[in-house]
Amino acid sequence: MSDLRMGIGVHSPITALLAEEAGAEVLWLGSLEMSTSRGVPDREVLEPHEVAEIIRSVRAVTALPIYVDADTGRGSDELAVLATKLYEEAGADAICVEDNLFPKRNSLDDRFGGRELLDPEAFAGRISAMVDARRSLRIIARTEALVAGHEADAAVERLRRYAAAGADALFAQANRASADQLLPVVKEIAPLRPMVLAPTVLPDTDARAFAEYGPVTVLFANVVMRSLVAQTSRVLREVMSSRRLTSVSSELVGVERLFELTEQGRVPGRGPGSGARASHGQENGAATAADEPAPLGASTADAGAERGTRAVAETPTDREWARSLMTESAFDYCAGGAGDESGMRRNVERLDAIRLTPRALRDVSERSTTTELFGRPLAAPILVTPMGLQALCHPDAEVATAAAAHSLGLGFTLSMFSSRPVEDVAPAAPGLWQQLYLLREREVSWSMLRRAEEAGASAVVCTVDVPVVGRRSRDARNRFSRFDAAPPAIVRDPSFLGLLEHRRRRTPSLTAADFLSDVFPDPAVDWADLANLRSRTSLPLVVKGILHPADAKRAVDAGVDAIQVSTHGGRQSDRHVASVDALPAVLSAVGDRVPVLFDSGVRSGAHIASVLSLGASAVLVGRPVLWGLASGGRDGAANALTSLLTELDHTMALLGASNVTDLGAELIGSWEQT
Ligand SMILES: Cc1cc2nc3c(=O)[nH]c(=O)nc-3n(C[C@H](O)[C@H](O)[C@H](O)COP(=O)(O)O)c2cc1C
């Protein structure tokens, strides 16, 4: 398992393409690289507007995360805030600011003797101002303490202070050619916050050495420029002296290679950059449909895309950005599916395959997405589906996702294996739904039910598609044990603790995680258990994980109040039917006796419009919310949900639907073979 991400310093679209082609996971727009490319010294000579221009040009060709060097923020909080806003708007994913004095001197430039640093409190204030100014841009705080001759302790102290001021990632720069200078800082800091390093002075150190203590992004800064200067200077001198190309031709690529590189970056539908543009693209200020490529050559920023209003909830950038902030095994746990993962992919592909036929000449100037479920109003038929262990994504976990959903008037379902207990989460989303599994020790399930009812839950969701846990190859490869990695709040449930205590009399070494794995899942759960649960609560009961129409009918006969069609996001089996392919038969079997809800594979508002047109009453959203959560806590999760709302509204207008009730079978045009 590795917590290493590798980044390359670039300064232009072509160098970004080369870095991406070489396998870079992050692009670093470093100031030495950028200023050298413009022929000016690395002394904060470039204006923020010039840097924003570089960001835009790079964003136009790639979906990779872009981290931008803002040096000292030109020595003022006000200008640091300006850079934060400009760079975010231009398409950057993170901005790095350092505690040097303005105008900064490159950390490797020791021509002028000792250096002073900004007072840590003053720098912490600058970070806070930047945190307040950003929407979802990440703030990387860099200390030059080691370069200024301070000991590791001083660097650690500064970084801790910067973390407290709200920095999302921490960067320590070194200037000695010995890992002993940097590693003590990494050891202390990496377990606390993701780190960013640019160990130019340690050319012989394998980057993996830095990632032993926590997530680290290692930036190979200035390699591009140094290689460019070395190669170009040699080749040009040779050409000038021999007045021909013969002796250098082996060092030149053919011109076809240039055609190929630029094609890769600029033609929609091909190459990495096209994905970024297609998914962020907007036209005339309105979101384009999910599968419509943006105009040729437009960049995300050119197209005016904003995180809060962009078209598609799960863009490659969001997913990759979340990935860059999570440990590899945590990301894999959330992103992974069962077996060869084709079931997980099929969920999305089959939703993508639906073509809608719009109605014309309907006045859609006034539109409403509102609806109600179990007598409670919703701003749109969208809820967050239950997903356990959200602390793997962000320390605020379910409190953040619940608050995000509630702030937008959307529903929220709390997993039985949530990181935070229902008593903490319910105040953030009054009337949330509680998901339950029926554990081998049923008492624990009933205890969780009681606590949810007391906390004000307004519905109960019983998940029935986990008789055994799916085989998830990523988790096996990472040796990831989910309950050890992020103990869920259920291990502090009084009933759970009582039983654990009892079992420990026989097996003193039994851990809470082991005990939980013993009681979950229970392959013996059957219809009698569902009836038992039904008899224990008067709250509306949703049964989640139904794919077969006969099961749907039987569940309704057993008195459930809604069916949730789901493949558990392809996490259980790679052979199951795609969730949306199971939906029509379930809808026919259920008729209008109870609402049919849907999850698995929903990535855009267009997907939601399709599912509602097929006849589902509401849609539950999964992974896109986790990527938002990982990227920006509550705000990040709210951004992901806002994207869905915005695109649902836009798609409705395009279909001639003023209300969600106007979305019906007549709009389903064709369903392409995949
Ligand atoms: C990380 C993760 C954890 C999940 N935990 C639960 C859970 O505790 N209970 C449950 O019923 N479903 C759980 N699910 C399944 C989701 O409720 C939902 O069915 C699935 O995420 C839908 O697929 P999608 O995210 O690809 O749209 C989980 C899904 C993910 C990705």
Side-chain angles (χ1 to χ4, degrees):
M1 186 189 107
S2 162
D3 280 334
L4 175 67
R5 296 266 170 279
M6 303 245 287
I8 294 184
V10 299
H11 62 261
S12 62
I14 190 66
T15 53
L17 284 171
L18 290 172
E20 180 159 12
E21 199 182 65
E25 295 160 289
V26 168
L27 298 175
W28 166 243
L29 286 175
S31 57
L32 178 56
E33 183 86 31
M34 286 191 288
S35 50
T36 311
S37 79
R38 302 257 159 159
V40 294
D42 184 19
R43 295 277 280 160
E44 303 201 68
V45 177
L46 291 187
E47 296 279 346
H49 281 95
E50 289 176 82
V51 174
E53 200 46 55
I54 299 175
I55 299 169
R56 266 185 216 110
S57 67
V58 170
R59 174 48 78 218
V61 299
T62 178
L64 282 182
I66 300 176
Y67 297 5
V68 185
D69 192 355
D71 294 322
T72 69
R74 305 197 113 220
S76 98
D77 294 357
E78 205 180 330
L79 291 175
V81 162
L82 172 74
T84 303
K85 291 181 177 165
L86 270 177
Y87 298 175
E88 177 156 27
E89 212 173 279
D93 297 279
I95 183 172
C96 178
V97 63
E98 69 192 41
D99 55 11
N100 249 324
L101 294 182
F102 176 80
K104 80 93 187 260
R105 211 147 25 85
N106 187 284
S107 54
L108 306 173
D109 183 353
D110 48 15
R111 289 174 298 169
F112 306 97
R115 64 176 72 209
E116 293 288 310
L117 297 183
L118 189 60
D119 167 66
E121 283 311 309
F123 189 63
R126 184 162 305 162
I127 293 166
S128 301
M130 293 168 75
V131 168
D132 289 344
R134 57 99 183 263
R135 288 196 305 272
S136 53
L137 185 77
R138 315 300 291 181
I139 312 290
I140 303 169
R142 161 169 164 167
T143 185
E144 295 276 302
L146 298 174
V147 176
H150 298 290
E151 294 303 319
D153 287 353
V156 166
E157 201 176 312
R158 278 182 175 257
L159 290 175
R160 287 217 169 104
R161 179 68 193 90
Y162 304 160
D168 303 293
L170 301 170
F171 188 152
Q173 186 58 307
N175 65 347
R176 283 213 305 267
S178 148
D180 296 349
Q181 189 191 26
L182 192 54
L183 275 181
V185 180
V186 178
K187 259 187 211 167
E188 288 291 319
I189 296 295
L192 305 179
R193 275 276 197 293
M195 284 200 81
V196 179
L197 301 171
T200 311
V201 290
L202 299 169
D204 300 324
T205 307
D206 185 321
R208 284 173 296 191
F210 299 110
E212 274 175 25
Y213 311 98
V216 170
T217 302
V218 170
L219 304 173
F220 288 91
N222 314 315
V223 177
V224 165
M225 185 54 74
R226 288 162 65 198
S227 135
L228 189 150
V229 171
Q231 308 296 325
T232 311
S233 152
R234 192 156 40 78
V235 166
L236 295 184
R237 279 166 201 272
E238 185 59 37
V239 171
M240 292 313 286
S241 72
S242 67
R243 289 176 299 281
R244 72 197 76 201
L245 292 178
T246 324
S247 57
V248 296
S249 51
S250 64
E251 299 194 43
L252 303 180
V253 294
V255 288
E256 306 75 28
R257 174 86 169 105
L258 305 186
F259 303 149
E260 178 200 304
L261 273 167
T262 47
E263 289 287 296
Q264 176 187 324
R266 291 197 176 272
V267 179
R270 275 195 64 198
S274 59
R277 287 195 302 277
S279 54
H280 282 76
Q282 295 193 337
E283 211 175 0
N284 302 330
T288 57
D291 54 358
E292 181 186 327
L296 188 75
S299 72
T300 51
D302 292 336
E306 273 187 69
R307 273 182 176 261
T309 57
R310 63 176 183 232
V312 177
E314 188 195 67
T315 67
T317 314
D318 291 338
R319 203 164 164 279
E320 286 312 304
W321 180 230
R323 183 176 172 198
S324 75
L325 291 165
M326 295 169 72
T327 64
E328 186 172 313
S329 51
F331 175 80
D332 279 346
Y333 172 70
C334 296
D340 64 12
E341 301 194 335
S342 58
M344 177 173 77
R345 289 191 296 274
R346 205 157 44 244
N347 284 327
V348 182
E349 286 161 8
R350 295 298 294 152
L351 282 163
D352 280 338
I354 298 175
R355 296 286 167 267
L356 299 166
T357 308
R359 298 300 307 264
L361 293 173
R362 291 181 163 180
D363 178 357
V364 289
S365 51
E366 302 274 323
R367 298 186 298 280
S368 165
T369 56
T370 57
T371 188
E372 65 163 52
L373 208 48
F374 305 141
R376 296 175 73 96
L378 286 173
I382 301 174
L383 299 92
V384 176
T385 197
M387 291 175 288
L389 310 184
Q390 293 184 17
L392 289 170
C393 300
H394 191 280
D396 295 342
E398 294 83 6
V399 174
T401 42
H406 185 68
S407 69
L408 296 167
L410 306 178
F412 179 81
T413 319
L414 186 67
S415 160
M416 183 186 214
F417 296 142
S418 58
S419 301
R420 303 285 290 270
V422 67
E423 292 79 5
D424 285 3
V425 183
L432 54 65
W433 294 6
Q434 172 71 56
Q435 178 263 332
L436 296 176
Y437 290 107
L438 298 180
L439 305 183
R440 283 178 202 261
E441 296 287 357
R442 296 282 193 274
E443 267 319 307
V444 182
S445 300
W446 310 147
S447 166
M448 295 291 281
L449 170 63
R450 253 189 325 270
R451 286 173 50 205
E453 286 178 334
E454 280 165 21
S458 69
V460 174
V461 178
C462 180
T463 302
V464 297
D465 57 6
V466 189
V468 291
V469 177
R471 286 176 188 271
R472 299 176 197 153
S473 48
R474 297 195 206 199
D475 293 349
R477 190 186 63 220
N478 294 333
R479 297 182 201 284
F480 183 72
S481 158
R482 60 197 189 291
F483 295 144
D484 285 314
I490 192 174
V491 301
R492 291 185 300 281
D493 175 86
S495 164
F496 181 92
L497 282 173
L499 287 163
L500 174 63
E501 200 54 34
H502 184 71
R503 284 280 299 277
R504 276 186 177 150
R505 282 187 214 139
R506 256 188 299 145
T507 319
S509 60
L510 188 73
T511 65
D514 291 340
F515 182 48
L516 189 52
S517 299
D518 284 353
V519 298
F520 171 79
D522 180 359
V525 171
D526 65 11
W527 290 100
D529 293 301
L530 186 69
N532 187 358
L533 171 60
R534 173 68 291 179
S535 70
R536 284 173 181 268
T537 181
S538 55
L539 289 178
L541 175 60
V542 181
V543 63
K544 172 175 183 278
I546 295 282
L547 293 170
H548 201 289
D551 288 340
K553 185 168 176 310
R554 186 159 177 188
V556 179
D557 292 342
V560 306
D561 300 285
I563 303 287
Q564 187 165 331
V565 171
S566 167
T567 68
H568 216 103
R571 294 166 73 77
Q572 284 299 96
S573 164
D574 53 3
R575 297 298 100 191
H576 284 359
V577 62
S579 197
V580 75
D581 283 329
L583 180 61
V586 169
L587 282 161
S588 305
V590 170
D592 54 11
R593 293 171 70 196
V594 298
V596 173
L597 316 179
F598 177 87
D599 79 66
S600 294
V602 174
R603 299 292 177 268
S604 69
H607 285 171
I608 297 176
S610 304
V611 169
L612 297 177
S613 297
L614 285 169
S617 297
V619 167
L620 288 98
V621 184
R623 291 180 175 98
V625 177
L626 293 185
W627 308 146
L629 171 67
S631 305
R634 175 194 156 137
D635 290 351
N639 273 348
L641 290 166
T642 303
S643 300
L644 291 170
L645 273 170
T646 309
E647 202 203 11
L648 172 61
D649 170 68
H650 184 71
T651 309
M652 281 171 52
L654 291 171
L655 291 172
S658 302
N659 288 290
V660 282
T661 46
D662 296 336
L663 296 170
E666 62 159 358
L667 303 177
I668 301 291
S670 61
W671 206 328
E672 294 189 351
Q673 293 300 317
T674 51

